[in-house]
Amino acid sequence: GIRNSVMSIFEVSDIRPGASFMARDLILGVDSFPVTERSATRAMLQWEHFAMRIVEVRGHHVIAGGLLPFQPELSAQVIDEVNLRADDAEVKIRKEFGNHTDPKVIRRLSLAKVLKMSTPLFSEAWLEGTVLDPDDAECPTLVNADGDEIEFIELHCSLARGTTRKHLRDLLNAAPDMEAASSRIWNWVAPAGEEAKYRTQPAGSILYKAQLEDGVLTLGTIELKGERLQASVNSAARAKKLQSRLKDILGNLVSEPVMVHQTVEQAMAAHRTNPAPIDQADLPPEVESQIITEFYDRHYRETLDQPIPMLGDTSPRVAAKTPEGKEKVAAWLKVLETGEARMRQSRAIEPYDFAWMWQELGVAHLRK
């Protein structure tokens, strides 16, 4: 079985922990088929990619040896490399079999021949793309709804002598763009009717924005901590705007702010060194799941009309209007599903159901 098999990249689905999974060969284009497997299925996630060798033994397909997890981007690179090598092999095979042979058969033979000799390609690609120097990986450009590159900035102000917390609360509560979240925390929100101004996204960037439950865009937060006021925003431009806004609202009741800056890369490095504890709310799993689902519904409903880098900076709705775009949209949805499953893997919360997105975008037939 091993002698007659080849190493390839497979997409997994319909995972039954401790029993089996469905595998689809992304290089040879073989439709999904069942694979019997116990241990690996306990860690697999829907739509994940793995480089592995699958062999048939007594009527059942099983994994021969180990398997290497591949991110979709790395899979695409390896698939492109294999196809380039197959182009050269195809010329020789066509001469051997003649031009009357079905081109699909010729291509399949060319890919199989390349895969027979390309096992080291998978391990080397996995080492370079997954294991070696993860800190050297380029971080994508993250922008907020203003189009500003993300930078985490805190503004620290001291209360002027004689200033009472009640007076500050009254002034902040009266400001139309300050929405109280508690007696000491306010959300700085986009002015009513001006949310449309905050929709700038440079090409090739990833958009991050926070919204309240009613969909209002949040620009930052303000918190009263003892004898000081602390504000948080995610860009230098917003820090300047908020500084000016606090001056308008509070006047000389607080000092000029001291600003503390942290880039995305610095925040990631700090998290790896000292991960922040997860704030576990005392909520039943079913209630927490409902809250998260409602948030994701709003988020993804809006995402369908936003430019997505993976889709060539077009929105999913626009991309889904062409056959080629539909394929890209299906691949994007699979990445979303895998990432979402990975986030919830260690928590007793039901995975988010993306089925409505597949239906709405007209790609449900590609969910296989």
Side-chain angles (χ1 to χ4, degrees), residues 11 24 26 47-49 70-77 79 140-141 201-207 300 303 306-320 322 324-339 357-358 361:
E11 178 184 80
R24 182 166 73 96
L26 298 178
W47 310 126
E48 273 193 305
H49 294 180
F70 271 53
Q71 293 296 324
E73 297 84 358
L74 186 58
S75 295
Q77 293 174 19
I79 292 171
T141 300
Q201 182 179 358
S205 62
I206 296 177
L207 178 67
Y300 285 125
T303 299
Q306 298 291 335
I308 305 297
M310 189 174 171
L311 302 179
D313 290 319
T314 61
S315 72
R317 289 193 197 279
V318 172
T322 66
E324 183 182 359
K326 288 182 185 294
E327 295 286 346
K328 292 182 179 180
V329 167
W332 171 68
L333 287 170
K334 288 178 178 180
V335 170
L336 289 185
E337 286 199 35
T338 304
M357 294 177 68
W358 290 83
L361 293 170

Side-chain angles (χ1 to χ4, degrees), residues 124-304:
E124 289 172 8
W126 178 75
L127 283 170
E128 293 179 5
T130 307
V131 177
L132 300 181
D133 299 323
D135 290 336
D136 290 342
E138 183 178 353
C139 182
T141 300
L142 305 177
V143 298
N144 61 20
D146 300 312
D148 302 327
E149 188 167 348
I150 296 290
E151 181 182 9
F152 303 110
I153 301 176
E154 290 184 352
L155 295 80
H156 298 266
C157 305
S158 302
L159 274 59
R161 181 171 297 181
T163 301
T164 65
R165 292 163 59 89
K166 182 182 182 307
H167 191 190
L168 289 182
R169 278 196 294 267
D170 291 342
L171 292 173
L172 289 169
N173 287 336
D177 55 347
M178 297 293 168
E179 191 162 323
S182 70
S183 61
R184 60 184 182 84
I185 298 175
W186 291 262
N187 288 301
W188 177 34
V189 299
E194 296 187 13
E195 291 90 343
K197 293 181 179 179
Y198 300 89
R199 296 188 184 279
T200 305
Q201 182 179 358
S205 62
I206 296 177
L207 178 67
Y208 170 81
K209 62 179 179 179
Q211 293 172 292
L212 302 181
E213 291 184 359
D214 57 3
V216 174
L217 180 68
T218 303
L219 306 177
T221 59
I222 296 96
E223 182 176 0
L224 272 174
K225 291 187 172 183
E227 296 303 314
R228 61 190 176 90
L229 181 143
Q230 178 178 313
S232 300
V233 291
N234 60 20
S235 76
R238 283 191 183 177
K240 291 182 179 179
K241 291 178 183 177
L242 183 54
Q243 180 181 3
S244 176
R245 187 69 186 114
L246 290 175
K247 186 71 173 178
D248 292 341
I249 298 171
L250 304 178
N252 295 323
L253 297 179
V254 294
S255 67
E256 288 293 319
V258 174
M259 297 190 189
V260 179
H261 297 246
Q262 187 180 48
T263 65
V264 172
E265 291 80 4
Q266 289 170 336
M268 292 171 64
H271 178 76
R272 286 194 296 266
T273 304
N274 185 25
I278 297 176
D279 183 14
Q280 296 283 358
D282 189 17
L283 292 173
E286 63 274 12
V287 175
E288 185 178 3
S289 181
Q290 180 182 353
I291 293 173
I292 293 176
T293 297
E294 290 174 355
F295 169 80
Y296 272 67
D297 283 342
R298 290 194 302 272
H299 171 70
Y300 285 125
R301 179 71 60 184
E302 187 174 286
T303 299
L304 296 185

Side-chain angles (χ1 to χ4, degrees), residues 86-98:
D87 290 342
D88 295 332
E90 189 172 331
V91 175
K92 298 178 181 178
I93 292 177
R94 184 174 286 110
K95 288 181 179 179
E96 181 180 347
F97 285 85

Side-chain angles (χ1 to χ4, degrees), residues 7 12 21 37 40 44 50-53 63-69 126:
M7 191 85 167
V12 303
F21 64 93
E37 173 62 29
M44 285 179 172
F50 293 93
M52 53 188 167
R53 186 187 298 271
I63 298 174
L67 66 168
L68 302 174
W126 178 75

Side-chain angles (χ1 to χ4, degrees), residues 38-55:
R38 293 184 178 180
S39 58
T41 52
R42 301 186 190 281
M44 285 179 172
L45 296 174
Q46 182 83 342
W47 310 126
E48 273 193 305
H49 294 180
F50 293 93
M52 53 188 167
R53 186 187 298 271
I54 297 177
V55 303

